[in-house]
Amino acid sequence: MYRYDEFDHVVVTERVEQFRNQVTRRLKGELSTDEFRPLRLMNGLYAQLHAYMLRVAIPYGTLSSRQVRMLAHIARKYDKGYGHFTTRQNIQYNWPKLLDVPDILADLASVEMHAIQTSGNCIRNVTSDQYAGVSADEIVDSRVYAEILRQWSTFHPEFTFLPRKFKIAVTAAADDRAAVRFHDIGVIVHKNDKGEIGFEVMAGGGMGRTPAVAPTLNKFVPEADLLSYCEAILRVYNMLGRRDNMFKARIKILVMATGVENFTKLVEDEFAQICDTALKLPDDEIARIRAYFAPPAYEGLAANSKAFDAQMLKDKAFATWVEINVAAHKQAGYAIATASLKPIGGVPGDCTAEQMDVIADLTDQYSLGEVRVTHEQNLVFPYVRKSDLFALWQGLVRLGLDNPNLDMITDIIACPGLDYCGLATARSIPVAQRLGERFQDLKRQRDIGELRLNISGCINACGHHHAGNIGILGVDKQNQEFYQVTLGGHDGADASIGEIVGPSFASDRIIDAVETIVDVYIAQRQGKERFIDTYRRVGVKPFKEKLYAAH
Amino acid sequence: MDGTPKKAAAAEATGAVELQVLTAYRLTDGVVIYLDAKGGWTEWVEEARVSRTKDDADAMTVLAKAGEAAHQVFETYLIPVSTDGDRTWPVSMREVMRAQGPTIHPQFGKQAMRAGRIDATAHAGSKRTGRGERKENREG
Ligand code: SF4
């Protein structure tokens, strides 16, 4: 599986010692609040509502069992016994003490982890498809290119002080699970008629107060030019992006203001200047990185497992979980299983130290030592023998992480909201919990089918509400929590931004409002139409009529 | 961010002064604290010094800056409070949350250490937002 190269290891270890020194100087009074702030942010340490918060990077969401055990250890030793997996495939600790942070970072470094690039106006942790390398529907392993981008962007001297933070996502699958069109740069890997690899590169997508679906700048950038093309985009942005107003500083605003055509031309011109420089990716470099992601030693298994088939017949709950939470693997005899971190009434993305320890064990026993965090805040076991699915599922049942709700209405993405976040205008997690309880009936959930519901506690949209089929945004109205609803957002290949349905709902009405929306969908849908398809066909009107009927 | 100076000027003109306490974070562990009557810091908002005049608030701000300069605290700012029933309590949802801890984890935060305080959601009914003079926390 993925590993660091030695260069990173030295750098990361040095960074820990630097930060230890900075913390000591801060405590002695040699560094002021203002001097220390950027230093701690560069090491993933935020000041949140109740305490410091440490955000740890998980490149591509990929964790070894050893790393999961270390995350559990940190939760237990330095925090309050749990961590929170985020929509950026990171993990956050909500209660670390400043004094302990250097030790936490040292512990992380001992398992090749860190908190670098999780904050600040740099290129953040590059994300990719959670099923990369294993899914039946991908062209290649997208993490190879995500890693090339990560190595290029880490500590890139030119891009340490961008106008604003910068997020890149890569996918190589037909079904875009990485929401690439909502990123500053999105990359989709394609193969042309000659079998050559190339990239569709888009730029200027994002959430926040001005949501945007990234337009495509170039449909097929040759494989060797990935870095030069991205560097060209970054250079244009670095030069022309607005630094005077942080609300207008993201690349999406520049793309909108410049116009897609003009922006593309600027990028292509810059690209023409630099495409034949040292940024050109040699084949052996790609091969070197590909080796990081070499497939594990699969056993030569038959496509079908008799034991698995028997268990499917025998245990209905297991069969349901398989139907909903298990995806097709590219390797015969294997499957991809998702553990839902959204138990009924639970906090989406939260995981206790005890759960992490058991997950590490399950990972060793049934998934060749690897587990992945998804941007939907779930955990994926990427290498499960079909014949092991039942045992894995039993383990998840014991942990309470067996909810068969993948991509359904209770598989809610929710940001920390006012319960933790210093920027929040309302809480999001309690809304997710109440919705989970209201829609917990599995039969009903299955009848509703695929429906993505996302909640953010403020306009920064970390809960991806713009991209939810149903999006919920918490607002503060005269010190009361209200919730604005958007409909029709979608983060797949045909991404779209949700439209506001009307005036916001008080906290005690929001759950009923969602129920009304679901009822309208059920009444309007034709055949097996998904929520998003029905919405696109009928528009906002019938929903609006029903929601505001009494007004 | 929310035009506090303007608000303060308006308050001065009408002679009405908002009751305020001064809050901050303790440097070593990031715990939410408040300036108390003795010039020290308390973890409990109900034990905080309440300013009733503008001069009072200014004096508290000076003490807070001294605390920052002495590297004990960071991110100091004034928040509106009410003292109904002789109990000092924050007005805004956000500050109630800071005074209590996350509502989804009643076992953590200050609420876990002192039971029976006002429920974190008991801000309902208040009409004032008063988000205080917060400068930092653009850390999303
Ligand atoms: S969306 Fe707002 S409330 Fe939620 S985590 Fe982001 S900044 Fe905080």
Side-chain angles (χ1 to χ4, degrees):
Chain A
M1 68 175 276
Y2 169 68
R3 61 172 172 78
Y4 261 128
D5 63 15
E6 289 87 54
F7 171 75
D8 277 345
H9 206 96
V10 173
V11 171
V12 170
T13 314
E14 279 174 8
R15 266 294 271 274
V16 173
E17 288 319 304
Q18 273 170 14
F19 191 60
R20 190 182 297 283
N21 185 266
Q22 287 156 357
V23 169
T24 309
R25 287 167 60 208
R26 173 75 182 112
L27 292 169
K28 276 204 227 147
E30 290 166 22
L31 290 172
S32 71
T33 306
D34 289 342
E35 286 164 338
F36 185 62
R37 184 183 306 123
L39 300 174
R40 70 170 159 75
L41 286 172
M42 269 189 256
N43 289 284
L45 189 64
Y46 288 69
Q48 281 291 19
L49 207 52
H50 308 291
Y52 292 105
M53 177 271 281
L54 183 69
R55 184 178 292 161
V56 178
I58 305 177
Y60 330 116
T62 302
L63 290 165
S64 67
S65 53
R66 188 167 149 251
Q67 291 172 324
V68 177
R69 282 194 190 93
M70 183 53 81
L71 295 180
H73 164 79
I74 289 169
R76 224 180 336 255
K77 180 164 179 196
Y78 305 104
D79 210 88
K80 293 190 190 285
Y82 69 105
H84 176 78
F85 291 107
T86 75
T87 53
R88 290 285 304 157
Q89 298 171 285
N90 295 317
I91 186 168
Q92 294 183 178
Y93 292 105
N94 290 302
W95 309 91
K97 296 184 173 72
L98 178 60
L99 290 164
D100 288 336
V101 174
D103 290 338
I104 300 176
L105 295 179
D107 282 356
L108 286 170
S110 75
V111 293
E112 305 181 328
M113 293 184 77
H114 58 72
I116 298 164
Q117 280 177 311
T118 58
S119 91
N121 295 337
C122 61
I123 302 174
R124 300 283 184 92
N125 188 14
V126 179
T127 54
S128 81
D129 182 357
Q130 62 253 31
Y131 294 169
V134 291
S135 88
D137 72 340
E138 74 178 12
I139 294 170
V140 290
D141 187 339
S142 54
R143 293 171 304 172
V144 173
Y145 302 102
E147 175 64 11
I148 288 170
L149 287 164
R150 187 192 73 80
Q151 294 202 2
W152 157 76
S153 63
T154 302
F155 307 131
H156 193 306
E158 208 177 315
F159 306 138
T160 315
F161 295 101
L162 293 168
R164 200 72 181 89
K165 60 188 170 187
F166 203 91
K167 298 176 182 178
I168 304 178
V170 187
T171 185
D175 187 7
D176 172 17
R177 287 171 289 260
V180 296
R181 288 200 184 270
F182 283 106
H183 284 74
D184 295 286
I185 290 181
V187 177
I188 302 177
V189 187
H190 291 298
K191 237 182 210 167
N192 67 10
D193 303 343
K194 292 184 215 133
E196 295 160 338
I197 296 233
F199 309 98
E200 178 174 355
V201 180
M202 50 220 85
M207 308 270 184
R209 67 185 63 222
T210 321
V213 170
T216 296
L217 306 186
N218 191 316
K219 281 207 165 118
F220 199 84
V221 174
E223 187 179 32
D225 293 331
L226 176 65
L227 294 186
S228 348
Y229 203 84
C230 289
E231 176 126 349
I233 296 173
L234 259 310
R235 280 193 179 180
V236 171
Y237 171 54
N238 211 13
M239 232 149 35
L240 303 178
R242 286 182 63 171
R243 291 170 193 269
D244 58 323
N245 180 343
M246 75 174 280
F247 297 125
K248 299 207 154 105
R250 294 291 288 264
I251 191 175
K252 62 191 172 189
I253 306 288
L254 178 65
V255 175
M256 283 178 207
T258 322
V260 180
E261 224 170 282
N262 289 337
F263 185 81
T264 307
K265 187 171 179 314
L266 291 169
V267 169
E268 295 281 343
D269 289 351
E270 185 68 34
F271 173 61
Q273 306 274 323
I274 59 176
C275 68
D276 287 321
T277 62
L279 286 167
K280 199 140 204 129
L281 270 175
D283 286 344
D284 54 347
E285 175 65 6
I286 298 170
R288 183 180 75 88
I289 303 284
R290 189 167 290 131
Y292 282 34
F293 299 100
Y298 288 118
E299 292 168 45
L301 299 176
N304 295 315
S305 150
K306 280 213 178 86
F308 167 74
D309 293 342
Q311 281 140 355
M312 285 289 281
L313 285 174
K314 217 174 88 196
D315 195 312
K316 208 160 167 262
F318 171 63
T320 302
W321 178 78
V322 169
E323 280 165 33
I324 298 170
N325 284 35
V326 173
H329 204 288
K330 62 160 70 155
Q331 181 73 19
Y334 285 81
I336 309 168
T338 298
S340 170
L341 288 182
K342 287 91 182 255
I344 299 302
V347 176
D350 264 17
C351 200
T352 66
E354 290 69 36
Q355 286 175 325
M356 289 185 219
D357 275 335
V358 180
I359 285 163
D361 293 345
L362 294 174
T363 300
D364 277 336
Q365 284 169 306
Y366 307 120
S367 185
L368 303 177
E370 182 182 320
V371 68
R372 297 180 188 171
V373 185
T374 75
H375 83 267
E376 294 93 353
Q377 304 175 281
N378 291 319
L379 294 176
V380 168
F381 295 86
Y383 309 109
V384 188
R385 288 187 302 207
K386 277 189 180 168
S387 54
D388 284 339
L389 278 169
F390 189 72
L392 171 65
W393 173 73
Q394 285 180 312
L396 294 175
V397 170
R398 283 193 289 276
L399 287 178
L401 301 180
D402 60 317
N403 199 357
N405 64 349
L406 197 64
D407 294 337
M408 301 202 300
I409 190 165
T410 63
D411 185 11
I412 296 170
I413 296 180
C415 79
L418 189 57
D419 278 297
Y420 289 106
C421 177
L423 306 174
T425 38
R427 287 176 294 169
S428 15
I429 294 167
V431 177
Q433 290 172 317
R434 282 154 62 204
L435 283 168
E437 277 156 15
R438 176 71 66 95
F439 288 97
Q440 63 181 282
D441 180 60
L442 193 58
K443 200 165 152 278
R444 182 167 180 215
Q445 277 195 70
R446 294 194 80 176
D447 177 45
I448 297 166
E450 184 187 318
L451 200 167
R452 302 308 327 252
L453 193 151
N454 300 348
I455 310 174
S456 302
C458 84
I459 194 65
N460 288 318
C462 306
H464 298 185
H465 68 277
H466 298 299
N469 299 164
I470 299 176
I472 296 180
L473 166 65
V475 291
D476 175 343
K477 274 198 183 173
Q478 297 188 312
N479 209 25
Q480 307 272 5
E481 289 169 305
F482 273 70
Y483 295 91
Q484 187 184 76
V485 174
T486 48
L487 295 177
H490 189 57
D491 69 2
D494 51 346
S496 54
I497 293 163
E499 301 168 66
I500 297 173
V501 70
S504 56
F505 298 92
S507 179
D508 59 3
R509 284 216 49 227
I510 182 65
I511 310 299
D512 290 338
V514 171
E515 187 139 32
T516 303
I517 291 164
V518 169
D519 289 345
V520 172
Y521 155 61
I522 301 283
Q524 294 278 343
R525 81 172 157 198
Q526 294 176 350
K528 286 197 181 317
E529 222 173 31
R530 299 174 305 167
F531 178 92
I532 184 68
D533 301 322
T534 301
Y535 180 81
R536 283 175 178 169
R537 182 171 52 76
V538 304
V540 74
K541 201 160 157 264
F543 295 94
K544 222 181 181 123
E545 278 170 6
K546 200 81 188 191
L547 280 168
Y548 302 102
H551 294 257
Chain B
M1 214 159 39
D2 54 358
T4 307
K6 222 180 11 198
K7 215 160 60 186
E12 238 174 316
T14 59
V17 174
E18 234 174 7
L19 301 179
Q20 291 177 307
V21 305
L22 198 139
T23 187
Y25 291 92
R26 192 158 59 207
L27 178 65
T28 49
D29 56 8
V31 166
V32 172
I33 46 176
Y34 306 87
L35 191 67
D36 71 14
K38 295 189 220 103
W41 298 92
T42 171
E43 292 185 24
W44 308 103
V45 67
E46 44 286 53
E47 290 163 17
R49 168 174 168 185
V50 180
S51 78
R52 288 163 204 281
T53 64
K54 188 173 174 302
D55 287 351
D56 238 10
D58 289 347
M60 280 160 56
T61 305
V62 169
L63 287 172
K65 293 294 160 213
E68 272 194 54
H71 309 289
Q72 298 165 339
V73 303
F74 65 100
E75 218 199 317
T76 58
Y77 59 100
L78 290 160
I79 59 163
V81 290
S82 68
T83 52
D84 302 343
D86 288 341
R87 184 188 181 83
T88 304
W89 200 247
V91 169
S92 75
M93 282 191 287
R94 180 180 195 284
E95 291 304 326
V96 170
M97 198 69 70
R98 285 178 77 242
Q100 285 282 54
T103 58
I104 50 168
H105 283 306
Q107 71 274 38
F108 302 135
K110 295 176 194 295
Q111 57 197 348
M113 295 189 274
R114 240 181 218 194
R117 300 166 88 213
I118 302 173
D119 179 62
T121 53
H123 54 264
S126 169
K127 287 287 171 245
R128 291 188 293 170
T129 48
R131 289 174 72 80
E133 226 189 295
R134 215 144 185 280
K135 291 195 196 68
E136 199 200 356
N137 257 4
R138 290 295 324 169
E139 296 186 2

